[in-house]
């Protein structure tokens, strides 16, 4: 059949990129994120070895403290036994899970410090005269060899290490206030003369923490807490206030820069700013808070972006090539690369410390595809005018040599897939995360163009189609190499072993041959998908090109990326008929790419500054939606989300909403009349307000959760006494408040706006 011959031409030499077969050279190479994961795994192994070695030193130190030389001998034996026991091994595994202790133990173990400490312990406990008598010199030797950095950790009774909160021994050299003061208080007390199992374990942990402090791993996280608090980021259960006015001024400057970037549609995590500052100073840059001016903060923030999207790889390269050399000149590139890794480790460690998950997860949304037609190889331009909104993909069965199913029949058990998620899943499986970032982005644009053109190129045969069903746009694609292989990024994927290259591919990992596990929420490919969302390859007449590809073309993507070409240059070189990359109108949704519950309908992307309605005046004033229309835009989003009937002329949107409100007395001056909403949407009724100014973050979250649990639709005022701005609440995912923001692309309310400034909630109900 000619159609099937076409399939073989496209895919005959392309393999499904599973975990153990068909990997290209680029896929076998480690990506930046995978390399970091491998490094952490090695650190875990080394850390677990470190726990066993530290047992002897810790036991000897405890024994010497309570029983002199004899106690040291007994303590060393007990500590050594504990370190090598099942309990000690489990302790090692638990400690290795935390980035702080993992890196501390790994560094101490790899450097030989623990070996030296154990040797010192052996020498001391062999001394028949009691070299560790009382609190002898060998005890100091062991402690110092472990990297405590103090004259002797045994010269005084065990007390709270400084990094757990400022102690009486804190000096003026600690320029930042302790982040954890008040979280842990009091000394660690062990009954004199008793070396119990629990005491041994406890002191192993204490010694390990001192080792970590001496190794320079555990540093002050005050700056991370400071910028997080100032910008509404996550601080765990810590209510942070800085007593240093210069530090607070620095944190406030970070907040100002972050807010400025938001108005440009750019989002970055401010913890990265503190990470760069700390790492530079650790390497001798001697920067003060005053040195961290708005211009410097802006420079570091700009280094994080590829276009308007955060890119970890771009950030790393800019740190290595630009930021670090500027503020710490004369080092080699390897040193700068180590420093860059330390920035990301600091970032990860901070979030581990507060019990949260670090994430730059890009939220995938939906696009409006305005298409005039397609360019099909061998046929030329095929005119087909379509305006496609909220496109979903139906995964279809595979027949013939490709699978045991029936062409044209849906694949049972598979839900409709949002189109942008489908493109992410195709790239996840087809080229894989091991390819260079620019090659992955090229694959995404090619896959999107290929998918849209596929029904036309196939003459709608074998179940292919792109059309509306009861108002919903549906694209049907076979779930095998006959079309494209989609791997569910949230569930992983596996094949049914029923045809060529393992045949039909299903969501989940329990169908015969597993290909890939679920993609982490902060996986780089989610960010890359966001960067290319809505982009298609077009010819000189604006027709979407059917960008056929096979493994040979995918390899070309990677080769050109390694030569330094960006994804647009790659695509224009690979596809001779390509003239440009056309970007469709898209919204980023409300976190759907991160497994959250946010909305992805067109209303989620409404902005008060949209030219379609931004100049419409409010009430009888000269104020416009673009200038002061955040509240009415937010309310309009919730009305659209609720699906209630409305009394407007034409399609409902912020513009038609305001026009109708103007007719029914919806404003007093430029002030919104809450009750007037019912005159536009009779079944959408204003209920009241809840004032939360002065409450803790958890209290505000609980209040909001209570309103949502009662079925209310809520708008929130997020700038408090710093200004006024309203957003529409889209849901809660854990401790993350999802929003639809009429002024930015952000979807996480308290990542974008300081939680302390959330002052009130107004809520509506559907009647």
């Amino acid at each position: 059949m000619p159609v099937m011959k076409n399939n073989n031409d496209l895919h005959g030499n392309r393999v499904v990129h599973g975990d153990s077969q068909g990997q290209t050279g680029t896929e076998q190479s480690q990506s930046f994120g995978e390399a970091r994961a491998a490094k952490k795994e090695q650190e875990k192994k080394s850390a677990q070895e470190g726990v066993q070695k530290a047992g002897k030193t810790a036991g000897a130190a405890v024994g010497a403290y309570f029983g002199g030389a004899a106690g040291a001998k007994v303590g060393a034996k007990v500590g050594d036994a504990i370190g090598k026991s099942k309990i000690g091994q489990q302790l090692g595994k638990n400690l290795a899970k935390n980035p702080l202790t993992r890196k501390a133990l790994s560094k101490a173990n790899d450097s030989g410090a623990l070996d030296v400490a154990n040797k010192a312990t052996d020498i001391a406990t062999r001394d028949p005269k009691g070299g560790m008598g009382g609190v002898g010199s060998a005890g100091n030797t062991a402690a110092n060899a472990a990297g405590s950095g103090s004259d002797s950790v045994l010269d005084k009774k065990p007390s709270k290490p400084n990094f757990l909160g400022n102690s009486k021994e804190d000096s003026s050299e600690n320029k930042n206030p302790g982040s954890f003061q008040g979280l842990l208080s009091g000394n660690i007390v062990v009954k004199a003369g008793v070396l119990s199992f629990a005491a041994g374990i406890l002191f192993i942990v204490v010694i390990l923490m001192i080792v970590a402090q001496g190794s320079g791993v555990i540093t002050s996280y005050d700056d991370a807490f400071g910028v997080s608090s100032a910008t509404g980021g996550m601080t765990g259960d810590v209510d942070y206030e800085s007593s240093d006015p210069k530090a607070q001024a620095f944190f406030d400057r970070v907040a100002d820069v972050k807010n400025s970037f938001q108005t440009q549609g750019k989002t970055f995590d401010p913890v990265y700013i503190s990470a760069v500052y700390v790492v530079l100073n650790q390497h001798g840059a001697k920067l003060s808070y005053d040195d961290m001016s708005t211009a410097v903060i802006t420079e570091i923030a700009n280094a994080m972006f590829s276009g308007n999207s955060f890119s970890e790889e771009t950030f790393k390269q800019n740190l290595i090539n630009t930021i670090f050399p500027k503020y710490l000149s004369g080092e080699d590139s390897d040193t700068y690369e180590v420093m860059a890794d330390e920035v990301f480790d600091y970032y990860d460690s901070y979030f581990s410390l507060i019990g949260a998950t670090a994430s730059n997860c890009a939220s995938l949304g939906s696009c409006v595809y305005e298409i005039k037609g397609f360019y099909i190889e061998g046929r030329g331009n095929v005119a087909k005018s379509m305006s496609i909104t909220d496109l979903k993909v139906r995964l279809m069965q595979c027949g013939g040599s490709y699978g045991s199913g029936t062409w044209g029949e849906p694949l049972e058990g598979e839900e409709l897939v949002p189109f942008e998620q489908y493109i992410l899943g195709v790239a996840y499986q087809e080229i894989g995360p091991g390819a260079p970032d620019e090659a992955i982005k090229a694959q995404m644009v090619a896959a999107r163009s290929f998918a849209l053109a596929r029904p036309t190129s196939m003459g709608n045969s074998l179940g292919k189609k792109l059309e509306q069903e009861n108002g919903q746009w549906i694209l049907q694609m076979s779930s095998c190499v006959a079309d494209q292989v989609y791997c569910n990024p949230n569930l992983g994927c596996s094949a049914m072993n029923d045809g060529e290259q393992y045949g039909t591919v299903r969501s989940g990992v329990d169908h015969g041959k597993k290909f890939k596990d679920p993609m982490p929420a902060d996986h780089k490919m989610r960010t890359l998908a966001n960067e290319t969302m809505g982009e298609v390859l077009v010819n000189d007449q604006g027709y979407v090109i059917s960008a056929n590809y096979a493994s040979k073309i995918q390899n070309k993507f990677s080769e050109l990326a390694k030569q330094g070409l960006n994804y647009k240059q790659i695509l224009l070189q690979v596809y001779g008929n390509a003239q440009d990359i056309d970007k469709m109108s898209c919204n980023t949704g409300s976190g759907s790419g991160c497994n959250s519950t946010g909305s992805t309908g067109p209303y989620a992307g409404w902005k008060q500054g949209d030219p379609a309605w931004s100049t419409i005046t409010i009430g009888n004033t000269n104020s416009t939606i673009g200038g002061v229309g955040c509240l009415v835009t937010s309310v309009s989003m919730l009305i659209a989300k609720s699906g209630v009937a409305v009394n407007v002329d034409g399609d409902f949107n912020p513009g038609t909403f305001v026009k109708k409100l103007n007719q029914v007395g919806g404003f007093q001056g430029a002030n919104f009349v809450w009750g007037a909403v019912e005159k536009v949407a009779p079944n959408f009724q204003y209920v009241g307000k809840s004032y939360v100014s002065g409450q803790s973050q958890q209290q505000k979250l609980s209040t909001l959760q209570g309103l949502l649990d009662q079925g209310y639709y809520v708008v929130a005022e997020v700038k408090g006494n710093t200004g006024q701005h309203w957003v529409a609440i889209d849901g809660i995912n854990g401790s993350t408040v999802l929003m639809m923001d009429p002024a930015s692309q952000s979807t996480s309310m308290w990542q974008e706006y300081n939680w302390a400034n959330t002052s009130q909630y107004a809520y509506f109900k559907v009647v």
Side-chain angles (χ1 to χ4, degrees):
M1 222 175 145
V3 170
M4 292 308 301
K5 183 176 185 298
N6 186 34
N7 276 325
N8 287 325
D9 288 343
L10 296 181
H11 301 288
N13 67 337
R14 180 166 62 82
V15 294
V16 177
H17 291 271
D19 292 334
S20 60
Q21 82 152 59
Q23 293 178 318
T24 64
T26 56
E27 196 164 7
Q28 290 171 341
S29 65
Q30 288 183 318
S31 68
F32 172 49
E34 290 169 331
R36 286 176 61 207
K39 178 182 177 183
K40 289 180 180 179
E41 188 60 33
Q42 181 57 41
E43 285 178 348
K44 285 183 181 180
K45 294 179 181 178
S46 182
Q48 291 174 39
E49 293 176 4
V51 169
Q52 297 178 30
K53 294 178 182 179
K56 183 189 293 185
T57 301
V62 174
Y65 180 76
F66 292 116
K73 282 188 176 183
V74 174
K77 290 181 179 179
V78 173
D80 188 38
I82 291 173
K84 294 177 180 178
S85 69
K86 289 184 178 180
I87 291 179
Q89 293 172 13
Q90 186 60 48
L91 174 65
K93 291 179 181 179
N94 291 338
L95 290 174
K97 292 178 182 178
N98 187 298
L100 303 176
T101 50
R102 180 183 70 238
K103 288 181 67 64
L105 288 164
S106 177
K107 184 173 181 179
N109 184 45
D110 294 343
S111 68
L114 291 172
D115 292 323
V116 174
N118 277 336
K119 288 180 181 178
T121 302
D122 289 338
I123 294 171
T125 55
R126 282 201 305 267
D127 184 357
K129 296 181 180 180
M132 289 184 73
V135 204
S137 60
N140 296 345
T141 302
N144 290 332
S148 69
S150 63
D151 293 335
S152 171
V153 295
L154 304 177
D155 285 342
K156 50 186 177 290
K157 292 196 180 294
S159 62
K160 177 178 58 176
N162 289 351
F163 61 83
L164 294 179
N166 291 338
S167 66
K168 294 180 180 179
E169 289 77 31
D170 283 348
S171 69
S172 59
E173 293 178 359
N174 297 327
K175 70 174 183 176
N176 299 329
S179 302
F180 310 106
Q181 190 169 9
L183 292 180
L184 297 175
S185 61
N187 293 336
I188 298 172
V189 179
V190 179
K191 292 183 179 179
V194 179
L195 182 61
S196 66
F197 218 63
I201 292 291
L202 180 61
F203 270 82
I204 288 175
V205 175
V206 173
I207 292 295
L208 293 178
M209 288 183 172
I210 294 174
V211 169
Q213 185 187 33
S215 300
V217 176
I218 296 182
T219 59
S220 172
Y221 283 83
D222 288 347
D223 298 317
F225 278 99
V227 297
S228 292
S229 180
T231 59
M234 289 182 284
T235 60
D237 295 325
V238 178
D239 291 330
Y240 181 90
E241 291 184 7
S242 177
S243 60
D244 184 341
K246 290 188 176 181
Q248 189 59 54
F250 162 51
F251 304 150
D252 292 339
R253 288 194 294 272
V254 175
D256 290 340
V257 172
K258 187 169 185 285
N259 288 333
S260 175
F261 271 54
Q262 289 168 12
T263 63
Q264 306 169 39
K266 296 181 178 180
T267 299
F268 69 87
D269 196 313
V271 174
Y272 279 119
I273 302 294
S274 64
V276 172
Y277 172 64
V278 169
V279 169
L280 278 169
N281 279 333
Q282 285 176 343
H283 287 265
K286 298 182 179 179
L287 294 172
S288 69
Y289 288 126
D290 289 340
D291 292 326
M292 298 298 291
S293 64
T294 298
V296 171
I297 296 167
T298 301
E299 179 182 34
I300 297 171
N302 275 324
M304 302 180 194
F305 289 88
S306 173
N308 281 344
S309 299
F310 174 89
S311 169
E312 191 174 81
E313 182 62 27
T314 297
F315 188 28
K316 180 180 181 180
Q317 293 306 315
N318 284 335
L319 288 173
I320 294 170
N321 299 327
T322 305
I323 302 298
F324 290 149
K326 179 174 181 178
Y327 295 96
L328 196 67
S329 62
E331 302 291 345
D332 57 39
S333 59
D334 289 342
T335 298
Y336 294 138
E337 184 169 1
V338 169
M339 291 172 63
D341 287 337
E342 289 174 357
V343 166
F344 292 106
D345 286 341
Y346 178 100
Y347 179 82
D348 291 341
S349 297
Y350 169 74
F351 283 97
S352 176
L353 199 63
I354 65 174
T357 301
S359 175
N360 287 300
C361 181
S363 58
L364 299 177
S366 60
C367 304
V368 178
Y369 286 90
E370 300 289 352
I371 295 174
K372 61 188 300 185
F374 304 97
Y375 174 82
I376 310 298
E377 187 72 33
R379 293 168 57 187
N381 290 336
V382 178
K384 190 172 287 188
S385 180
M386 292 183 285
S387 180
I388 303 170
T389 59
D390 196 23
L391 179 60
K392 298 291 195 301
V393 177
R394 178 179 292 132
L395 301 175
M396 306 295 287
Q397 295 181 24
C398 300
S401 63
Y402 294 96
S404 58
T406 302
W407 296 113
E409 292 295 322
L411 193 57
E412 293 181 4
E414 296 284 349
E415 297 180 353
L416 292 176
V417 182
F419 184 56
E420 296 305 322
Q421 179 181 311
Y422 173 77
I423 297 304
L424 169 62
V426 168
Y428 188 33
Q429 183 62 25
E430 292 280 9
I431 196 167
D437 287 0
E438 295 303 311
I440 293 173
K441 290 195 283 187
Q443 170 75 77
M444 289 174 172
V445 176
R448 187 179 293 107
S449 305
F450 175 84
L452 290 170
R454 187 62 167 167
T456 299
S457 68
M458 294 287 288
N460 293 327
S461 64
L462 303 183
K464 312 296 183 288
K465 76 172 187 179
L466 174 58
E467 59 187 45
Q468 283 184 297
E469 294 181 6
N470 300 318
Q472 172 67 63
W473 278 96
I474 298 293
L475 169 65
Q476 293 187 171
M477 297 284 282
S478 297
S479 188
C480 59
V481 296
D483 285 344
Q484 295 185 131
V485 178
Y486 167 73
C487 183
N488 191 315
N490 301 325
L491 300 176
C493 61
S494 50
M496 297 174 66
N497 292 322
D498 63 342
E500 183 177 322
Q501 298 180 40
Y502 291 102
T504 309
V505 179
R506 301 287 299 266
S507 296
V509 296
D510 54 353
H511 302 283
K513 169 66 178 177
K514 183 179 83 170
F515 287 148
K516 284 182 171 62
D517 288 314
M519 180 186 291
D522 58 350
H523 197 284
K524 71 168 184 178
M525 289 189 73
R526 295 187 187 275
T527 299
L528 299 179
N530 196 40
E531 292 176 13
T532 63
M533 187 167 61
E535 293 185 343
V536 293
L537 199 60
V538 297
N539 64 9
D540 57 355
Q541 297 177 61
Y543 284 73
V544 177
I545 293 175
S546 178
N548 302 334
Y549 62 90
S551 59
K552 184 163 54 177
I553 293 178
Q554 291 170 319
N555 291 339
K556 189 68 173 176
F557 290 162
S558 295
E559 291 170 8
L560 294 174
K562 289 180 178 179
Q563 294 174 21
L565 274 66
N566 63 41
Y567 73 102
K568 293 184 178 180
Q569 294 169 324
I570 292 170
L571 290 166
L572 295 179
Q573 181 167 325
V574 169
Y575 296 97
N577 292 311
Q579 179 69 26
D580 197 8
I581 310 296
D582 195 5
K583 174 77 171 180
M584 300 294 171
S585 175
C586 303
N587 71 75
T588 59
S590 297
S592 59
C594 300
N595 295 326
S596 68
T597 57
S599 300
T600 58
Y603 56 84
W606 287 348
K607 305 301 174 192
Q608 66 187 89
D610 192 311
W613 51 69
S614 63
T615 59
I616 295 175
T617 57
I618 290 178
N620 57 2
T621 72
N622 292 324
S623 298
T624 63
I625 297 176
V628 298
C630 59
L631 176 55
V632 289
T633 303
S634 296
V635 173
S636 71
M637 291 176 180
L638 295 181
I639 292 173
K641 180 179 180 179
S642 73
V644 298
V646 292
N647 301 322
V648 300
D649 296 326
D651 294 333
F652 180 76
N653 58 47
T656 55
F657 182 43
V658 169
K659 286 181 178 179
K660 189 65 175 181
L661 286 172
N662 287 339
Q663 297 172 10
V664 297
F667 301 98
Q668 291 182 350
N671 295 321
F672 182 56
V673 177
W674 296 95
V677 171
E678 296 176 51
K679 298 179 181 179
V680 183
N683 295 325
F684 198 79
Q685 185 180 93
Y686 171 68
V687 179
K689 292 182 180 178
S690 178
Y691 295 94
V692 294
S693 182
Q695 292 184 0
S696 69
Q697 185 175 10
Q698 185 57 50
Q699 288 172 325
K700 292 180 180 183
L701 183 66
S702 297
T703 299
L704 178 58
Q705 185 69 69
L707 292 172
L708 296 178
D709 288 346
Q710 296 177 66
Y712 292 128
Y713 290 82
V714 183
V715 291
E717 206 289 300
V718 293
K719 289 191 175 180
N721 58 8
T722 66
Q724 188 179 77
H725 184 62
W726 292 85
V727 301
I729 301 300
D730 204 20
I732 295 176
N733 184 16
S735 61
T736 300
V737 178
L738 300 172
M739 68 172 177
M740 297 180 288
D741 188 357
S744 80
Q745 296 294 336
S746 172
T747 58
S748 175
M749 187 168 81
W750 285 336
Q751 186 179 3
E752 298 310 309
Y753 303 104
N754 191 338
W755 66 267
N757 292 329
T758 299
S759 60
Q760 59 181 302
Y761 304 125
Y763 47 101
F764 303 80
K765 67 178 180 180
V766 173
V767 296

